[in-house]
Amino acid sequence: MTTPGYVQPNAYGPVTPTQMFERTMTLLRENFKLFFGIVLVAVGVEVVVGTVISGSGIWLRHSVGAAPVARALILLPLSLLGAALIYIFTQIILGALFFATQSKLADAPMTVGEACRLATEKTGKLVGIALLVALRIFGYVLLFYAFIGIPLLVITLIPGIFRHSSLQLVHAPSLWFMIFFIVFLLAFLIAYFGALLWLVARYALSIPAGLAENLSIKDAIRRSIHLSAGSRGRIYAVFLVVIGFSIGIAAVTLPIQIMVAHKALIHRTISPEAVSIAARCISVIADLLSGVLVAFMGVAITLCYFDLRVRKEGFGVVLPPPASEPDPIILPPAPEPQSPGMPTEDFPAS
């Protein structure tokens, strides 16, 4: 699928942050069946995987001779396989959301099946981009822990080292040391969250760039870094909204699951199977709510990608036609000069 060279007016931007959020919500509201249908594919995979793992655990619990070690040997590979399937389908869904958003910006028809088909054809690229981005983020996180986490660990161990040493310089952490430690810990958490958000925003445009411009995996990541450099405010806002709502979903569903498990421990009459079923139902509700956030993120990141291309490269901007030159005036040919004394008219020979 190709993007038209120009649109009048330019449907791709530029947009302000407020307009970006408004356009995201408008696209989701006007095309709810399309975007939510795409997300339901990933939610369905998560529900099936979770149900299979939960059912396998229940079956192993009631099977004869199923020791904990045997259950772990069976459930661990099954869980890893399920996690891999969920990861792959998540990347396909993100690609399908990009194709759906692109088609709606171009005012072209698109169905759930067509968007998923286009994304499935790019599965290798989508998964490759996601894995390479994950490896890069993991490497940066290790460097962050090496430069900040290790000094924090040393500061934490200082009181115990002196307490058990022969120097006996201090017997207990002082108040000022505790205050310094708490401030340093808060600064570490803020710096860690900020660095992680910066990394995610740095690579957030890799999938849109790779699909829209048909780039290789490494070129798509480089394109995301180049395109988002100095203009990551909107991307930060998108991920902060997603993180905030994700925390809200967890704050509502997780206590309910804990309460169900607590009731099962108090009232021995409740079977573990009933607890597992109730936990799965709550988990399905959380997956549906998280799917809405995935749809929001996919549409918003696509809009951010096109907005940056418009603002930095003039993508989709219609140039005014060149001024038309007036038609040249064609003058009649000048009469040929005649010699003096020659008659201007013919006379009879007589």
Side-chain angles (χ1 to χ4, degrees), residues 218-241:
K218 292 184 178 180
D219 290 339
I221 294 176
R222 295 191 190 100
R223 177 65 167 159
S224 176
I225 297 172
H226 172 74
L227 199 60
S228 63
S231 304
R232 298 192 178 104
R234 292 166 175 79
I235 304 176
Y236 291 148
V238 171
F239 281 106
L240 286 175
V241 170

Side-chain angles (χ1 to χ4, degrees), residues 258-272 275:
I258 295 175
M259 290 171 60
V260 171
H262 181 68
K263 288 290 184 181
L265 291 175
I266 294 177
H267 304 285
R268 297 295 181 178
T269 56
I270 302 177
S271 62
V275 175

Side-chain angles (χ1 to χ4, degrees), residues 129 132 136 215-223:
I129 290 174
L132 187 56
R136 289 194 175 199
L215 301 175
S216 63
I217 295 174
K218 292 184 178 180
D219 290 339
I221 294 176
R222 295 191 190 100
R223 177 65 167 159

Side-chain angles (χ1 to χ4, degrees), residues 45-233:
V45 173
E46 292 183 10
V47 171
V48 170
V49 170
T51 303
V52 169
I53 294 175
S54 299
S56 300
I58 295 173
W59 177 74
L60 290 172
R61 191 181 299 116
H62 289 278
S63 62
V64 179
V69 177
R71 291 202 300 267
L73 291 176
I74 295 175
L75 290 178
L76 183 59
L78 193 62
S79 300
L80 292 176
L81 178 61
L85 287 175
I86 293 174
Y87 186 81
I88 293 173
F89 272 91
T90 301
Q91 309 313 316
I92 294 175
I93 293 309
L94 291 176
L97 289 172
F98 168 80
F99 284 119
T101 306
Q102 184 188 45
S103 67
K104 292 306 172 182
L105 290 177
D107 199 18
M110 177 66 68
T111 62
V112 175
E114 187 177 358
C116 293
R117 180 184 61 81
L118 291 172
T120 304
E121 294 175 355
K122 304 291 184 180
T123 301
K125 180 182 293 187
L126 293 170
V127 175
I129 290 174
L131 288 176
L132 187 56
V133 167
L135 288 176
R136 289 194 175 199
I137 292 177
F138 181 72
Y140 279 112
V141 170
L142 287 181
L143 290 176
F144 183 85
Y145 276 111
F147 285 100
I148 299 182
I150 293 178
L152 178 63
L153 180 63
V154 171
I155 293 175
T156 306
L157 296 177
I158 284 176
I161 294 173
F162 282 116
R163 188 182 299 115
H164 294 88
S165 65
S166 59
L167 298 177
Q168 297 293 332
L169 296 179
V170 292
H171 298 280
S174 64
L175 177 62
W176 289 109
F177 178 84
M178 294 301 298
I179 294 175
F180 172 78
F181 175 75
I182 293 174
V183 172
F184 189 87
L185 179 62
L186 291 176
F188 170 79
L189 293 176
I190 294 173
Y192 178 79
F193 179 76
L196 196 60
L197 184 62
W198 177 79
L199 286 173
V200 172
R202 176 183 172 90
Y203 303 117
L205 305 180
S206 299
I207 288 180
L211 296 179
E213 305 176 38
N214 196 24
L215 301 175
S216 63
I217 295 174
K218 292 184 178 180
D219 290 339
I221 294 176
R222 295 191 190 100
R223 177 65 167 159
S224 176
I225 297 172
H226 172 74
L227 199 60
S228 63
S231 304
R232 298 192 178 104

